[in-house]
Amino acid sequence: MPAVKRRGIVVGSVIAAMLLGNAGLASADDDFGNGSQKPSDPQASGNVQDGKLSSTAGAVVFDRSKNGTGNSAGPVTSTASNWTPPACYYAPKYTPDQLKKYLEPIWEAGSTGYEWDASQRKKFVGGDPYKDFNKDKEGKGYFWDSYVTEGREGDPGALDCDKDIFWVDQGTPPPPEIPQAITPEMLAQLAYAEIRVPSTTVELAPDGNTKVNLPTWAWLDAAKFKPVSVTASVPLLGVQATTTAEPVSLKIEPGTADATTYPASGVCELNGDQIGEAYAKGKAGETPPCGVKYLRSSGDDSYKLQATVTWKIHWTGTGVNADQPLPDGEFGADQDVIVQEIQAVNR
């Protein structure tokens, strides 16, 4: 790959990650709006405006004001094993004047070789196909270039976006032969990677230590487990997508085969606004709707109980009239459970 193109990929590699399926590719029907803003310097930044946490990464702006927060919050893992984030994609990057200021110093340095520099001058200055950096179209469109998803710089897929910089008029879709061009669905996939959900540490009763053959109730704090969402947008194009995650179930894995889960599947479904049921005095003799019964002591150690919440994820955005599905996400954590033998007193 010519040095100048590689530099274009690496310098612009500041977009946050998301997941790419086989759908959502650019087509002639994509609505890209009629944005009038100029591309900003392709660097990541963040701020808080009107109480909304947001950040800009290249051409994409993320609004995380409705996302999960706190030190224990973390990203979900897709339940679709073959669904991975896009390593690169194309979006607006330069106005005619900005592209001139970017390329001319590279040509003058001569670091990319005479033949490459000459071909670039012919393309962007000499009229094949752009004359004088398309200055006659200033304010009527943008030069698009590749971005590499943040954290994916070393991924082989980051080199898939190897097409040279190209022009797109405002209000028109990018060329159909550019499958990685940004679309609302790709924005939804980018927002998916930004989703953060709360810790899955469950409340247990008895708390801390439990007894052999004693049903242990398990539940989640309903106040923490509300839907969360992230919106990704390209203001230059007037397009956006909001990805929302909603908790649907909790899976309990006791950390040992010597245990019985409630229900037997170990999967506790969302019931109204709660998962499981908080233990209350007087329920010691009842079977918990969500929980575990250990059949053997943990001895001098503890069992690692794993609690994993499944989140149903969907998106909506520009040109979309109804929620569109994305793969479910999971987020889990371990916690120690000490199981003791019940002590009996002989008289």
Side-chain angles (χ1 to χ4, degrees):
M1 180 183 296
V4 67
K5 182 56 187 172
R6 179 175 292 276
R7 183 171 185 266
I9 292 177
V10 175
V11 171
S13 303
V14 293
I15 297 295
M18 214 7 278
L19 304 174
L20 176 64
N22 293 324
L25 303 182
S27 71
D29 294 328
D30 286 328
D31 178 11
F32 284 89
N34 293 293
S36 59
Q37 301 182 39
K38 291 185 178 180
S40 59
D41 183 38
Q43 300 295 324
S45 64
N47 63 352
V48 177
Q49 294 181 342
D50 300 326
K52 294 184 177 181
L53 179 63
S54 64
S55 68
T56 301
V60 176
V61 176
F62 293 100
D63 178 358
R64 303 183 183 86
S65 62
K66 297 180 180 179
N67 205 9
T69 59
N71 294 332
S72 62
V76 295
T77 299
S78 169
T79 58
S81 60
N82 61 343
W83 209 58
T84 58
C88 68
Y89 59 90
Y90 295 94
K93 189 177 289 187
Y94 306 105
T95 64
D97 186 58
Q98 286 173 332
L99 183 61
K100 179 180 180 180
K101 291 178 179 179
Y102 168 62
L103 288 179
E104 285 189 337
I106 297 174
W107 299 341
E108 292 169 2
S111 59
T112 52
Y114 172 79
E115 290 186 4
W116 175 252
D117 291 349
S119 68
Q120 289 283 287
R121 286 190 176 94
K122 181 180 180 182
K123 178 174 183 178
F124 294 106
V125 181
D128 187 16
Y130 312 114
K131 185 176 181 180
D132 194 21
F133 296 98
N134 256 12
K135 283 190 175 182
D136 62 328
K137 289 191 173 184
E138 185 76 45
K140 299 178 181 179
Y142 309 102
F143 281 104
W144 289 41
D145 199 5
S146 60
Y147 291 86
V148 176
T149 301
E150 186 176 9
R152 302 289 297 279
E153 291 83 358
D155 193 307
L159 302 179
D160 290 344
C161 298
D162 58 359
K163 295 185 182 298
D164 205 355
I165 299 168
F166 57 93
W167 176 266
V168 178
D169 289 328
Q170 285 187 25
T172 63
E177 66 269 19
I178 311 291
Q180 300 95 341
I182 197 73
T183 65
E185 182 161 353
M186 291 181 72
L187 286 172
Q189 296 166 353
L190 289 171
Y192 188 115
E194 297 299 310
I195 289 288
R196 296 294 180 266
V197 296
S199 167
T200 53
T201 300
V202 296
E203 302 287 340
L204 299 174
D207 185 20
N209 299 347
T210 187
K211 306 295 184 182
V212 172
N213 291 322
L214 176 66
T216 298
W217 292 57
W219 69 95
L220 290 170
D221 183 352
K224 294 181 180 179
F225 283 80
K226 301 294 184 182
V228 298
S229 65
V230 173
T231 297
S233 62
V234 181
L236 296 175
L237 302 177
V239 296
Q240 61 84 30
T242 297
T243 297
T244 301
E246 302 178 79
V248 292
S249 64
L250 165 69
K251 182 177 182 180
I252 292 179
E253 297 175 271
T256 174
D258 295 315
T260 299
T261 57
Y262 306 102
S265 64
V267 177
C268 307
E269 301 291 343
L270 178 69
N271 181 18
D273 62 352
Q274 64 180 0
I275 297 179
E277 181 181 331
Y279 176 78
K281 187 177 180 179
K283 292 185 176 181
E286 299 181 16
T287 298
C290 181
V292 59
K293 179 171 68 176
Y294 287 97
L295 308 178
R296 186 185 298 272
S297 167
S298 60
D300 295 330
D301 203 351
S302 61
Y303 293 124
K304 292 287 187 182
L305 181 146
Q306 184 176 63
T308 302
V309 173
T310 296
W311 296 77
K312 182 179 179 63
I313 302 180
H314 52 84
W315 73 277
T316 187
T318 303
V320 176
N321 296 323
D323 288 343
Q324 302 297 309
L326 287 169
D328 289 348
E330 294 181 335
F331 185 57
D334 294 338
Q335 58 195 92
D336 293 327
V337 178
I338 297 174
V339 182
Q340 300 172 331
E341 294 283 359
I342 296 177
Q343 300 297 318
V345 178
N346 295 319
R347 295 185 181 274

